[in-house]
Amino acid sequence: MAREGNLEAPTRHPLDWRNPDFYDEAKCFAELERIFDICHGCRRCVSLCQAFPTLFDLIDEGKTGELDGVDKADYWKVVDQCYMCDLCYMTKCPYTPPHEWNLDFPHTMLRAKAIKFRKGEVKAAEKFLASTDVHGSLAGIPVVVQAVNAVNRTKPARALMENVLGVHRDAWMPELAAQTLRRAAPEARAAQVVDGERTPGKVAIFATCYVNYNEPGIGLDLLAILEHNGIPFTLVEKERCCGMPKLELGDLESVAASKEANIPVLARYARDGYAILSAVPSCTLMFKQEIPLMFPDDADVQLVKEAMWDPFEYLSARRRDGLLRTDFQRGLGKVSYQVPCHSRVQNMGRKTEEILKLIPDTDVQTLERCSGHAGTYGVKKATHPVAMKIGKPVFKSMAQHKGGGAPDVIGSDCPLGGHHIAQGFEVNQLGAPKLMHPLTMLATAYGLKNP
C-alpha cells in the first residue's frame, strides 16, 4: 500500500536527456498526465507559482472536474508557467523520490520544454533574452553603454522592446556597466593561504554574466570582503554563461556547450584546492545540481560540484573554522531580507541571515517566499504582471518589519530578484527603503564602503 507521503528527504535522479525517449512527446505527455493527476489530488503547491493554479483551474473548469476533462493541448499552458525554481520538489511535494510515486514536477516540465525547443516552437525573441553573453558583449564600452542605457530608459524604446522582444514595458531591466567586473577587479593583496577545517583558504570567483556585465559592484564588494579577511582570491581565467537561462528554455544542447566551456576551467581550480564562489544563486545551483544531474558520470563535473560555494555559505563555514573577522564598523538598522528560491534548494540553510545577524545594531527579518522574478519570467510581456502578483505577499511582508515600521534596507541574494522586490515596493506604494545586495550590506558593515 502506498504511503501518504515521504518520510525521507527528497533525492534527485539523473536527467536522462540523451535518451531518445526523453523527446518522445507521447511518452512525455503520459508522464505529465500521471503527475498532474497526483497534483490534482493533493494541491499542496497551489501557492508556490502560477503553474499549479493554471493546472487546477483547467481541471476545475473542464467538462468533468477531473483531469480527463482537460484538453491535452492545454498541458502546455502549465508547462509555460514553470520557471524551474525547484521549490515544489525540494520543499512541498510529499511524493518525490524515494517515495514510490517518484514525482518530479520540475524535471518533467523541463522535459516538456526540451521537446518544445527541439520542435522549433520557442520564439527567436525568447532565445535572445536567454543569451546573456550576447547582451553583455557591449558592456565596458563607455560610449556604447551610455547610448544603450539612455535609449532603454525612453518610453518609445521600451514600447519597441515590448513589441519586438516581448519585454514588458514596465518591467525593471538592468543597465550595462561602464566597466565590467573582470576589468575593474583589483589584484588580491593577501597571499598567505590559511585553510580551515571546513574551508579552503583561497577562492576562485566565477563572475557570472549579470555581475560581470551589469552590476560589477556586487563582485567588487565580495572581493573586498575576502581581502578584509585575508583570503587570497582570483577570478577564473575565462567563463561562459552558466547555462541557467538556456535550461529554462529547454535548450539542453546549449547547456551542454556551456558545460564544455566552463567545466575544464573550473575543474583546474578545484584540483588546485580553491573554493569556487558565485554571487548569483541560479549560477551556483547550475554547478551544484543541474549540470551534475545532466552529466552524472563526468568526474570533472562532480569535482566542480564539490568545490562550488555560495558566498555566504563559504563565509559561514569560515566563521565555524574561527577564521572570519567580525570587526564591524557600522550597523545596518532594520533589514528585510528575502531568501531566493535558488538559494533555498541548495539545502545549505540560512547562511546569509546567519552572517548578517552578527552585525551589531542590525535587526534582520527573513522572508522565505518566491519574489516572482525567476529570470526572464519576470520581464516578459506575458508574465511580468503574474510575476508582480506572485511577489506581492513578499513585498508587503518585507515592508512591515518585525522591529516595527518600515525597513531601512531591503535585499536578496538574487540581484535580479532584489530589483524586482524594489519595483514591487514602488508599484504598491510601500515606501522606498535602500536596496542593497547582502554582500554590499556586509561590505558596508565592515566599513569597506560608504552606505
Side-chain angles (χ1 to χ4, degrees):
M1 186 172 69
R3 289 174 296 144
E4 176 60 27
N6 250 351
L7 299 177
E8 297 86 16
T11 57
R12 300 259 32 175
H13 294 313
L15 190 69
D16 195 18
W17 68 286
R18 295 290 198 191
N19 187 332
D21 283 351
F22 186 84
Y23 298 94
D24 186 308
E25 188 168 345
K27 292 179 179 179
C28 177
F29 267 56
E31 180 64 3
L32 286 171
E33 184 174 11
R34 184 185 77 87
I35 285 178
F36 287 171
D37 193 48
I38 295 171
C39 293
H40 164 47
C42 175
R43 302 204 173 199
R44 187 174 176 180
C45 290
V46 67
S47 64
L48 284 183
C49 68
Q50 194 61 24
F52 296 99
T54 299
L55 170 62
F56 303 147
D57 285 347
L58 287 170
I59 294 171
D60 294 343
E61 295 167 7
K63 298 176 182 178
T64 66
E66 298 292 341
L67 187 61
D68 61 8
V70 177
D71 188 332
K72 285 186 170 54
D74 285 338
Y75 285 8
W76 292 111
K77 295 179 180 179
V78 181
V79 173
D80 289 342
Q81 291 298 325
C82 177
Y83 41 72
M84 309 297 297
C85 75
D86 224 34
L87 277 191
C88 60
Y89 192 98
M90 297 301 293
T91 70
K92 285 282 189 181
C93 183
Y95 304 120
T96 56
H99 192 278
E100 60 192 287
W101 288 359
N102 191 32
L103 198 154
D104 188 336
F105 190 94
H107 275 179
T108 307
M109 297 300 104
L110 177 59
R111 180 182 180 184
K113 289 174 184 287
I115 290 170
K116 183 177 181 180
F117 189 89
R118 181 168 282 196
K119 289 168 63 180
E121 295 178 358
V122 174
K123 296 177 181 178
E126 291 184 272
K127 295 178 183 178
F128 178 76
L129 283 178
S131 301
T132 51
D133 283 339
V134 175
H135 310 165
S137 62
L138 300 176
I141 308 174
V143 175
V144 176
V145 166
Q146 292 171 12
V148 170
N149 289 342
V151 169
N152 285 345
R153 294 188 201 109
T154 66
K155 290 184 178 180
R158 291 304 304 265
L160 181 64
M161 289 174 66
E162 184 174 274
N163 291 330
V164 176
L165 296 177
V167 175
H168 197 288
R169 66 184 66 197
D170 295 329
W172 176 86
M173 290 290 289
E175 295 190 343
L176 292 173
Q179 191 175 33
T180 65
L181 174 63
R182 288 188 165 277
R183 292 183 180 179
E187 294 289 331
R189 294 193 299 272
Q192 184 179 2
V193 176
V194 181
D195 293 328
E197 179 184 350
R198 303 163 183 82
T199 53
K202 55 184 179 179
V203 166
I205 304 295
F206 184 84
T208 77
C209 299
Y210 180 82
V211 171
N212 187 40
Y213 296 132
N214 301 108
E215 210 165 341
I218 294 171
L220 293 174
D221 291 338
L222 173 57
L223 299 185
I225 291 165
L226 295 173
E227 187 72 65
H228 186 69
N229 281 279
I231 301 169
F233 63 80
T234 185
L235 268 65
V236 299
E237 180 185 359
K238 58 182 179 179
E239 67 183 70
R240 279 180 59 174
C241 173
C242 67
M244 178 61 84
K246 301 295 187 181
L247 184 84
E248 292 171 349
L249 282 187
D251 183 4
L252 300 184
E253 293 295 345
S254 289
V255 176
S258 292
K259 171 260 181 186
E260 292 299 326
N262 285 322
I263 292 299
V265 177
L266 295 177
R268 290 201 298 271
Y269 290 97
R271 287 194 188 92
D272 287 343
Y274 283 86
I276 306 171
L277 272 58
S278 156
V280 176
S282 57
C283 303
T284 312
L285 185 67
M286 280 299 290
F287 293 108
K288 281 188 174 185
Q289 174 175 290
E290 301 298 350
I291 294 174
L293 289 173
M294 288 179 66
F295 300 93
D297 299 322
D298 188 313
D300 281 355
V301 166
Q302 301 304 320
L303 186 67
V304 171
K305 172 185 174 181
E306 296 304 317
M308 184 66 60
W309 298 73
D310 169 270
F312 282 94
E313 178 189 20
Y314 176 79
L315 294 172
S316 173
R318 201 74 177 158
R319 174 178 175 247
R320 293 198 300 277
D321 284 339
L323 296 170
L324 184 73
R325 294 177 64 169
T326 56
D327 53 339
F328 300 111
Q329 302 300 308
R330 59 171 65 96
L332 301 172
K334 291 182 290 187
V335 175
S336 281
Y337 156 69
Q338 184 256 356
V339 188
C341 302
H342 283 167
S343 291
R344 291 176 66 186
V345 299
Q346 290 178 43
N347 284 328
M348 61 184 177
R350 295 179 171 187
K351 301 306 183 188
T352 301
E353 176 192 68
E354 176 187 316
I355 298 300
L356 294 181
K357 283 187 171 180
L358 298 175
I359 304 169
D361 301 318
T362 301
D363 188 2
V364 181
Q365 169 178 272
T366 301
L367 274 296
E368 283 191 319
R369 184 162 179 163
C370 181
S371 72
H373 189 273
T376 58
Y377 186 91
V379 302
K380 290 178 182 177
K381 179 181 178 180
T383 51
H384 172 69
V386 182
M388 295 300 289
K389 179 182 176 182
I390 292 170
K392 194 169 184 177
V394 173
F395 313 150
K396 295 178 73 173
S397 294
M398 293 180 74
Q400 298 296 321
H401 196 276
K402 64 182 178 65
D408 301 303
V409 180
I410 58 173
S412 171
D413 297 285
C414 174
L416 292 166
H419 285 285
H420 183 73
I421 291 168
Q423 184 177 22
F425 267 67
E426 180 182 357
V427 169
N428 292 283
Q429 300 181 334
L430 298 171
K434 188 174 184 62
L435 172 66
M436 298 174 70
H437 189 277
L439 288 169
T440 304
M441 295 183 201
L442 186 58
T444 300
Y446 272 135
L448 304 176
K449 66 183 302 177
N450 294 322

